[in-house]
Amino acid sequence: LLYAHLLLYQANLHHFFKNVDEAIRLATKAIDIQKQFLGDNNLEYASSLNRLASYYSSIEKYDKAIPLLRKAMAITADKDQYQYSDLLNTLTDIYEKKGNIDEAIQLLKESQQLLRKYVCNNEDQYGLLLYTGTLIRLASCYKSKEEYNEAVQLDTEALEITYQLYGKNNPFYAEGLNDLAFDYYNLGQNERAISLIREYLPMVRYFLLNSFIGLTSNERFMFWNRFSIDLETNIPLLIIHSDTPH
C-alpha cells in the first residue's frame, strides 16, 4: 500500500506538469494495488478512483471519467456523505462541460437534498458551506436556462445561510447580494435589483479601504478578477435604471 501511495504522489506530479498520460498510467497501477489489498468497497480506493477520473476529465475524456465517478459514488453512498457529495459535484462539472445542464441539475438536486438531510439539521458549519455552494451552483445552472424564478429562491437561501455564517460585512455575503440582484434584474424587477446593488456597492468600497492593503499579490488578483466585473456592470445598471439621484 505504501507503494500505491508513492505511485499516486508521482501521478499527481506528472499531472501537475501536464504529463497526463503518465499520470493516468501510474494512478491506474496504484488503484489495482489498492483493490488487491483493500478490496473494491473501500473509501481510500474510492478516493483514488475520483483522482483518476479527474485526470481523464482534464483531457476531456469524459466517457472514461464518468464510470469511475459512478463507481466511487456507489462505494461512498452509505459510508461518507461528504465524499459522496463531493463526487456528485465533480460529476456535475463534467455534465456542465458537456453541455448537459439538465443532468447537472438533477445531480445538484441530489446533493442539495443529501446535505440538507445529513448536515443542515445538525448545524454543521462545514456542511453548511457545502450546502451553500451547492445552492449557488444549482442557481447558476437555472440561470443558464434563463429560469430566474428558481435561481431567486436558491440564491436567497444561500444568502441567508451566508449571513448566518459570516454576517453582512463579508465578501461572500456581498457576492450573494450581487447574484440575487441580477436574478431580479433578469426578471425585470429593477427596483429590487437596484436596492440590492445599493447595499452591495458600499461593501465593495469597504473591502477596498480596509482589506486591500493587507492582501498578497495573488489575493489582490483574485479580488479584482471577481469584483472588477461586478463594478463595471453594477454601476451602469444602477445609473440606467434608477430614477433617484446618485
Side-chain angles (χ1 to χ4, degrees):
L1 285 177
L2 182 61
Y3 181 52
H5 291 160
L6 177 61
L7 289 172
L8 290 170
Y9 175 76
Q10 292 176 334
N12 265 348
L13 288 177
H14 281 285
H15 186 255
F16 178 79
F17 289 107
K18 310 299 182 184
N19 190 0
V20 182
D21 288 339
E22 182 63 11
I24 289 172
R25 186 188 73 81
L26 292 168
T28 300
K29 187 174 181 180
I31 287 169
D32 289 341
I33 294 171
Q34 288 179 327
K35 183 177 180 180
Q36 178 182 353
F37 286 94
L38 299 175
D40 58 1
N41 193 31
N42 179 275
L43 289 176
E44 186 175 340
Y45 176 71
S47 178
S48 298
L49 291 173
N50 185 21
R51 184 181 304 194
L52 180 57
S54 73
Y55 296 160
Y56 279 118
S57 181
S58 70
I59 54 174
E60 299 183 358
K61 290 188 176 181
Y62 301 128
D63 291 340
K64 293 278 191 179
I66 290 172
L68 292 167
L69 290 169
R70 293 285 187 187
K71 188 173 183 179
M73 287 167 63
I75 296 169
T76 59
D78 297 323
K79 295 183 177 69
D80 188 328
Q81 301 303 328
Y82 288 154
Q83 188 173 346
Y84 182 76
S85 177
D86 182 58
L87 289 165
L88 279 172
N89 282 311
T90 303
L91 191 55
T92 299
D93 288 336
I94 291 177
Y95 281 116
E96 284 186 300
K97 290 173 183 176
K98 287 167 64 73
N100 192 339
I101 301 301
D102 289 334
E103 184 65 29
I105 286 174
Q106 290 307 310
L107 290 167
L108 287 168
K109 281 184 173 180
E110 183 180 349
S111 182
Q112 178 191 11
Q113 293 303 317
L114 177 70
L115 292 170
R116 175 182 288 158
K117 177 180 179 181
Y118 287 95
V119 179
C120 293
N121 291 338
N122 296 324
E123 297 182 353
D124 183 315
Q125 182 166 330
Y126 177 67
L128 285 171
L129 288 171
L130 291 178
Y131 180 66
T132 304
T134 298
L135 293 176
I136 292 169
R137 289 195 64 189
L138 186 53
S140 179
C141 285
Y142 280 117
K143 291 172 196 179
S144 70
K145 298 180 59 153
E146 299 185 356
E147 296 181 14
Y148 294 105
N149 283 313
E150 294 285 350
V152 163
Q153 295 179 29
L154 293 161
D155 280 334
T156 298
E157 185 178 359
L159 187 64
E160 290 171 352
I161 296 172
T162 302
Y163 174 74
Q164 176 184 339
L165 289 171
Y166 301 112
K168 286 189 174 184
N169 195 22
N170 183 277
F172 295 118
Y173 184 81
E175 186 173 346
L177 286 173
N178 176 70
D179 290 340
L180 192 55
F182 273 83
D183 293 341
Y184 283 120
Y185 174 65
N186 283 293
L187 285 170
Q189 298 184 31
N190 294 334
E191 289 186 7
R192 299 190 75 171
I194 290 168
S195 175
L196 290 166
I197 291 171
R198 286 190 182 281
E199 185 178 355
Y200 164 81
L201 290 176
M203 292 182 177
V204 177
R205 186 182 303 115
Y206 173 85
F207 302 142
L208 282 169
L209 294 174
N210 294 278
S211 303
F212 194 77
I213 295 175
L215 298 179
T216 65
S217 59
N218 185 52
E219 288 170 334
R220 290 191 189 104
F221 173 78
M222 293 175 65
F223 179 94
W224 283 115
N225 189 48
R226 178 65 186 91
F227 285 106
S228 64
I229 297 172
D230 295 337
L231 290 170
E232 289 169 3
T233 54
N234 284 341
I235 292 176
L237 174 67
L238 183 64
I239 294 171
I240 291 169
H241 290 288
S242 177
D243 294 326
T244 58
H246 309 292

